[in-house]
Each structure stands twice: as C-alpha cells, then as structure tokens.
Amino acid sequence: MIEDGRPLFLQIAEAIEDSILDGSLAEESQAPSTNELAAFYRINPATAAKGVAMLTDKGVLTKRRGIGMFVTAGARDLLLGERRTAFAERFIDPLLAEARTLGLGPDDLAALLRERAATSTEGNPA
C-alpha cells in the first residue's frame, strides 16, 4: 500500500477513504485509531494522525470524546462527489478538449465510449 514519492499521511487518508467507498468501513462505524494505523503500516503515529486529521477536517471522520474516531453519516456520498469531480477534471476535461480539436460532438464521443466499453469487456465476464 505504501508508495514511494507520495506523502504517507495522504496515502493513509486515501486508504481510509477507499475503505469507506468500498463499504468495508461503514458510515457511523468506528475508524481505526492512529495507533492501529501506525502499527499496521509501520509508520510514526504522528504521520497516521495527520492523515486522520485531514479526514476530520473534510468532514469524513468525527471524534467522539473518549471513544475514538467514527465515519460520519454522508461520508461516502461526500467522497464519491470529490472523486467524480477529480475524475472529470483529470480525464473528461482533456477528453472534451481533444474531441473539440477533432471535431467530435457528444454523440460521437458516446459512440466511441460504447464501442470501447464493449471491446474492453469482451472475454471479461462482469
């Protein structure tokens, strides 16, 4: 999970986000503590705490005094919205710019997407 080149606290925050998105960490359930994260990833607890604090600042996690950190209600929808926006900015916007350059309209793009989706799933049962 730990990659070179990216700050560890960001990777910890993203791992927690991924767990929320895939449902393995449900809304209103208790999140791993900073000490648990530090032990699991073999990192400094302060680094894990920085990742958790980032998610707290975003409203994904909330602290319940004396109990621990919990996933907030609505966290999954919040994260999905953020990821969709990032996806559009990273992939869709450049795609649209290139499509305009090539003279492709929305219907042309939709047809290309359907064609590519059909060929990319051939031999890969869903």
Side-chain angles (χ1 to χ4, degrees):
M1 187 316 271
I2 301 297
E3 304 169 12
D4 291 333
R6 290 185 54 228
L8 292 174
F9 76 93
L10 290 176
Q11 294 180 57
I12 296 299
E14 190 171 276
I16 294 169
E17 288 178 348
D18 289 345
S19 294
I20 294 167
L21 288 170
D22 72 18
S24 59
L25 189 56
E27 291 183 358
E28 301 189 25
S29 68
Q30 189 166 8
S33 71
T34 55
N35 288 333
E36 290 170 333
L37 292 166
F40 183 79
Y41 292 109
R42 296 188 177 126
I43 60 172
N44 186 310
T47 302
K50 191 171 179 181
V52 168
M54 190 175 114
L55 295 176
T56 301
D57 292 344
K58 275 176 41 169
V60 172
L61 297 179
T62 188
K63 184 175 185 171
R64 294 188 188 162
R65 191 176 182 131
I67 301 174
M69 301 301 292
F70 287 78
V71 179
T72 60
R76 187 170 188 278
D77 287 339
L78 174 75
L79 293 171
L80 282 172
E82 283 184 356
R83 296 260 178 116
R84 285 182 181 130
T85 298
F87 177 82
E89 290 171 354
R90 185 170 177 197
F91 298 104
I92 304 298
D93 293 347
L95 172 75
L96 291 171
E98 182 66 12
R100 277 190 294 276
T101 300
L102 298 173
L104 299 173
D107 292 337
D108 301 317
L109 283 176
L112 281 170
L113 282 171
R114 281 191 297 276
E115 177 185 309
R116 291 296 193 168
T119 59
S120 71
T121 58
E122 288 177 6
N124 298 324

